[in-house]
Amino acid sequence: MKFAVIGGTGLIGSQVVKILNADGHEAVPHSQSTGVDVISGQGLGGAVAGADVVVNLTNSPTFDEASLAFFQTSMDNLLAAAQKGGVGHFVILSIVGADQVPELDYYKAKVLQEDTLAAGPIPYSIVRATQFMEFMDAVLSWTVDGDSVRLPATPIQPVASKDVANAVAEVAAGPR
Ligand SMILES: NC(=O)c1ccc[n+]([C@@H]2O[C@H](COP(=O)([O-])OP(=O)(O)OC[C@H]3O[C@@H](n4cnc5c(N)ncnc54)[C@H](OP(=O)(O)O)[C@@H]3O)[C@@H](O)[C@H]2O)c1
């Protein structure tokens, strides 16, 4: 099968590309560094053309309220390009419990991304993961105060990005 992995140069995207290609598929990574921009729409038509599946693993450059516009615009552009290109399955990676923390802009943005996909024209799958192990330094840095490291009040159950990438690849190659 042919896969367009948008955000395919990122932490999860690059691993998903490797897994799919090792499994005998044809997975091509796309991102700003390959000339594809999900916000301006530059290069999107060519990126999704001929793909059976689009896997969207892009991320917002910020986690603040600007992330809402990022996920809305990127999904609108990607869904339009995917529909035009006859893509049969659209996969995104979201966050476990995102809908339960509406006071966090970034979580609100991920729910917006899910809702936009669900309301769109393409058969879809949503994979939800907890925070990646690789992201733990950043998460804990938010509650570090000098030499004191405070555990966040919210329970955390991190997952290795490799396990997430395997799950995304399995879903993307599976039935829609
Ligand atoms: N962090 C977590 O713990 C966690 C947990 C659950 C789900 N997720 C979700 O997992 C997904 C992937 O996260 P990640 O950590 O793998 O992201 P990442 O490493 O930051 O990679 C982001 C990717 O998006 C691309 N990108 C950013 N802006 C773009 C644009 N305007 N046009 C085209 N490509 C663009 C980047 O390409 P360039 O470098 O070329 O710009 C890069 O390939 C995200 O949607 C995130 O919400 C994350």
Side-chain angles (χ1 to χ4, degrees):
M1 287 167 75
K2 288 188 174 183
F3 297 78
V5 183
I6 318 293
T9 57
L11 175 65
I12 301 297
S14 56
Q15 297 182 75
V16 168
V17 167
K18 269 194 203 138
I19 294 163
L20 288 170
N21 283 327
D23 285 349
H25 297 293
E26 187 186 325
V28 182
H30 303 282
S31 71
Q32 289 183 110
S33 51
T34 71
V36 170
D37 191 328
V38 292
I39 299 302
S40 70
Q42 185 195 335
L44 275 187
V48 304
D52 301 300
V53 184
V54 165
V55 187
N56 177 18
L57 297 167
T58 56
N59 205 0
S60 166
T62 65
F63 293 161
D64 58 13
E65 63 178 325
S67 58
L68 285 135
F70 177 89
F71 283 111
Q72 183 69 70
T73 304
S74 57
M75 286 301 292
D76 288 346
N77 287 338
L78 278 166
L79 286 171
Q83 187 179 24
K84 211 171 162 191
V87 170
H89 188 189
F90 197 115
V91 181
I92 63 167
L93 177 58
S94 192
I95 304 173
V96 170
D99 51 329
Q100 289 170 40
V101 197
E103 60 275 16
L104 269 189
D105 286 327
Y106 186 73
Y107 278 26
K108 235 185 336 186
K110 293 300 290 186
V111 172
L112 179 66
Q113 185 188 33
E114 291 186 4
D115 290 347
T116 304
L117 179 63
I122 319 269
Y124 66 90
S125 299
I126 297 171
V127 178
R128 280 181 157 192
T130 57
Q131 300 302 320
F132 312 150
M133 288 286 188
E134 289 82 348
F135 201 50
M136 281 302 103
D137 262 358
V139 170
L140 288 175
S141 72
W142 297 334
T143 49
V144 164
D145 181 13
D147 287 341
S148 307
V149 179
R150 295 193 174 80
L151 293 178
T154 353
I156 291 180
Q157 188 176 359
V159 59
S161 67
K162 187 180 171 197
D163 291 340
V164 176
N166 275 316
V168 170
E170 190 181 334
V171 168
R176 55 200 186 177

